[in-house]
Amino acid sequence: MEKDENTTHFGFKTVDSADKERLVAGVFDSVAAKYDIMNDVLSMGIHRLWKRQTIDSSGVRPGHKVLDLAGGTGDLTARFSRIVGAAGEVVLADINAAMLNVGRTKLHDMGVVGNVSYVQANAEKLPFPDDYFDCITIAFGLRNVTDKDAALRSMLRVLKPGGRLLVLEFSKPESDWLSKIYDFYSFHFLPRAGELIAQDKESYQYLAESIRMHPDQETLKGMMETAGFAQVDYQNMSGGIVALHRGYKF
């Protein structure tokens, strides 16, 4: 997907790799305050079912350590906090300070305290010890990472042997007719909704483009295997609009 080591994609644009982190930060600084509202509107609430399936596939149990990477406003963190209990730990990590602050405020208001910590972190260079987490999730965040291969290797490093990674991300629809409907939705309705609700058409135009530039199901599966994950598989949801990839560290 990347053109060379010095350039990368920002939506449909080719930019210097060194600039992408700043450009993505600008998008999420802009959308953070309305992020949850827009998720519900744009997915018609279905994102909650996708995330529930991720939780159900995680194998997380009381006492586990979980990293919710690119965790944004903390939907997964809130659920994991209840599962791991007082003996467990959940780290909500995001590279974007605005998203992390929204997540911290939201979870505090929900009464989610005690076993949750908040870390601003780059997925490519995770600031955690080797073999630390039982489970890592990254939901709708990998496509915004500049060097996805480096991020996958970083995730593998901080997972315990036997631990699992779950990548929930927009992907490639399984049928041509669904692709056509989804293209119309993505490039007409999504930016328009962003303009009307979040007063930010450009950011939602980028988000639509970033979905199209993200690796498809089989390509991402291969990337995870190359990074060192074992028994990698994926489950298509909503006709392949979203896919949940799973891999293990052995």
Side-chain angles (χ1 to χ4, degrees), residues 50 140 143 168-172 182 211 214-215 240-243:
W50 299 331
F140 306 114
R143 72 181 189 278
L168 180 66
E169 188 55 88
F170 293 107
S171 200
K172 183 178 179 180
Y182 188 44
I211 292 168
H214 185 67
I241 288 174
V242 166

Side-chain angles (χ1 to χ4, degrees), residues 39-56:
N39 272 354
D40 281 330
V41 170
L42 295 174
S43 75
M44 295 173 285
I46 298 174
H47 74 99
R48 298 177 186 274
L49 300 179
W50 299 331
K51 291 171 181 173
R52 184 179 303 165
Q53 181 61 38
T54 302
I55 297 285
D56 291 344

Side-chain angles (χ1 to χ4, degrees), residues 10-30:
F10 177 72
F12 290 160
K13 299 175 183 176
T14 299
V15 299
D16 289 342
S17 295
D19 291 337
K20 181 170 180 177
E21 183 177 323
R22 173 182 57 80
L23 293 169
V24 171
V27 169
F28 285 94
D29 284 345
S30 177

Side-chain angles (χ1 to χ4, degrees), residues 42 65 70 88 154 225 244:
L42 295 174
K65 293 181 173 67
S154 184
E225 291 169 339
L244 176 63

Side-chain angles (χ1 to χ4, degrees), residues 151-215:
L152 290 169
R153 292 192 298 269
S154 184
M155 292 179 226
L156 184 73
R157 178 184 65 78
V158 302
L159 266 180
K160 292 179 181 179
R164 70 184 74 185
L165 167 68
L166 294 108
V167 181
L168 180 66
E169 188 55 88
F170 293 107
S171 200
K172 183 178 179 180
E174 297 173 282
S175 65
D176 289 340
W177 68 266
L178 184 57
S179 288
K180 291 176 182 177
I181 294 171
Y182 188 44
D183 279 345
F184 179 83
Y185 169 85
S186 298
F187 294 107
H188 293 83
F189 178 75
L190 196 156
R192 181 61 174 160
E195 182 179 28
L196 292 174
I197 299 171
Q199 290 77 55
D200 188 349
K201 180 179 180 180
E202 290 75 16
S203 290
Y204 283 91
Q205 181 71 33
Y206 157 73
L207 292 172
E209 293 174 3
S210 71
I211 292 168
R212 294 305 179 276
M213 301 307 295
H214 185 67

